[in-house]
Amino acid sequence: MAKKKSVLDFYKMKKEGKQVAWVTAYDYPTASFAEQAGMDMILVGDSLGMVILGHKGTIPVTMEDCISHCQAVRRGAPQTWVVGDMPFGSYQLSDEQAVENAVRFLKESDVDCIKLEGGVRVESRIRAISNAGILVMGHIGLTPQSSGVLGGFKAQGRDIGSARDVIKDALAVEKAGAFSLLVEAVPPILTKFITRKLKIPVYSIGAGEADGQLIISSDMLGKFQAFTPKFVKVYANVAEVETTAFKKYVEEVREGVFPTDEHVYQALDSDDDFEKLFREFE
Ligand code: KIV
């Protein structure tokens, strides 16, 4: 089994131009498959609100939801770097609230770092959590928790004015002490510049080349059907596999084809003994 990576490995990978491959996972089996596949990192994203819990967005997700899913992922992937996502409302109020919830994340679910959304506007939060000795990953560009403010799940930094803001956010995240940065849904030309400009590793989701790539597992596996962002490559159709299996099962139960003798535990005593037992109750 491969040795668990540390923050130093991620710095080294940036320096050596080695790509970091990571996915989201929210449960024990997916985490275990990701670890078996050699994934460098796993994000337990608050996207779980949509892809696991069926909410319309990430806003309803709570610390308890995130911690519980992080615990399952840690059990499934004990040797993989796990990123815990700070849900909406867990760091908006104050630096103190942010530190308290980041500490809770580490204590209760053994994540390796936390991620929070925003650049300039959360600089003091990143600094406070980093000063508490906790590794922070920034997240800028399209930040789903602010999709209301952004006018929807829209790509960012596509014109010069907006690109300038994204660059300012990236610089603010690094200056505040984050150990890495995730950039979502901005043009590749901008991601390339930010990746070159920052000393910390810069990862991309739907933003072209960077120091590594993240994808939502439910999207790439074809499990989340409400919508698929343009930047997703679909590697499997698990929804079809599951639905086909469920349909077959329904059919076989209704037709009496399942279960057969091979799917039951046969009695250890004779039929006659069982008949005698039944008579006692008649
Ligand atoms: O919650 C999540 O999965 C995320 C990704 C969209 C980056 O934050």
Side-chain angles (χ1 to χ4, degrees):
M1 192 183 284
K3 195 173 142 276
K4 189 178 164 194
K5 288 191 170 58
S6 80
V7 66
L8 301 180
D9 293 307
F10 294 118
Y11 290 141
K12 191 159 171 254
M13 285 174 84
K14 171 162 181 128
K15 215 167 152 195
E16 294 175 350
K18 288 195 181 136
Q19 287 288 304
V20 169
W22 53 309
V23 286
T24 62
Y26 316 94
D27 57 37
Y28 175 90
T30 311
S32 160
F33 300 149
E35 181 161 295
Q36 287 172 49
M39 214 63 75
D40 294 300
M41 243 190 236
I42 293 175
L43 167 67
V44 186
D46 65 349
S47 48
L48 70 88
M50 297 158 84
V51 303
I52 302 294
L53 303 178
H55 293 302
K56 284 201 182 69
T58 56
I59 301 301
V61 176
T62 63
M63 273 302 288
E64 285 69 28
D65 293 330
C66 290
I67 285 174
S68 155
H69 286 274
C70 282
Q71 288 169 340
V73 165
R74 174 50 81 213
R75 287 190 286 269
Q79 291 297 110
T80 306
W81 183 275
V82 173
V83 184
D85 208 7
M86 301 278 284
F88 183 73
S90 68
Y91 60 97
Q92 274 74 11
L93 300 187
S94 64
D95 290 354
E96 290 71 24
Q97 184 213 22
V99 173
E100 193 174 324
N101 280 317
V103 167
R104 201 176 153 203
F105 242 133
L106 260 72
K107 277 187 179 287
E108 295 182 30
S109 55
D110 191 25
V111 296
D112 295 287
C113 72
I114 62 91
K115 171 173 91 56
L116 52 78
E117 296 185 6
V120 173
R121 70 187 159 82
V122 294
E123 215 177 325
S124 77
R125 304 288 189 272
I126 296 175
R127 186 166 295 110
I129 299 171
S130 301
N131 285 343
I134 296 170
L135 290 163
V136 179
M137 177 183 286
H139 178 175
I140 61 168
L142 167 53
T143 44
Q145 288 173 10
S146 342
S147 59
V149 178
L150 301 175
F153 293 93
K154 290 194 179 344
Q156 302 295 305
R158 297 180 81 183
D159 58 53
I160 296 304
S162 163
R164 181 173 285 111
D165 289 342
V166 175
I167 293 170
K168 284 183 186 164
D169 279 340
L171 294 172
V173 166
E174 181 170 66
K175 191 162 157 247
F179 86 99
S180 65
L181 173 66
L182 175 66
V183 181
E184 177 165 355
V186 307
I189 187 169
L190 184 54
T191 311
K192 214 169 178 174
F193 172 75
I194 293 170
T195 306
R196 207 173 59 229
K197 178 87 185 152
L198 299 197
K199 289 191 184 64
I200 58 174
V202 176
Y203 303 123
S204 154
I205 175 163
E209 273 179 50
D211 295 314
Q213 295 295 322
L214 167 68
I215 197 164
I216 306 268
S217 58
S218 311
D219 288 336
M220 71 167 287
L221 296 175
K223 287 169 88 172
F224 182 62
Q225 300 197 302
F227 65 90
T228 306
K230 172 185 161 66
F231 56 73
V232 169
K233 180 169 175 187
V234 180
Y235 286 79
N237 194 338
V238 172
E240 192 179 294
V241 171
E242 282 193 25
T243 312
T244 305
F246 287 154
K247 272 189 189 154
K248 183 87 184 143
Y249 166 77
V250 168
E251 212 177 279
E252 291 198 354
V253 168
R254 287 182 182 155
E255 287 171 3
V257 174
F258 174 85
T260 58
D261 279 356
E262 64 180 301
H263 304 115
V264 294
Y265 301 98
Q266 294 298 348
L268 297 176
D269 287 319
S270 69
D271 287 6
D272 282 352
D273 287 340
F274 270 84
E275 289 306 329
K276 255 188 244 161
L277 169 70
F278 300 153
R279 275 198 294 277
E280 282 177 31
F281 291 90
E282 274 166 3

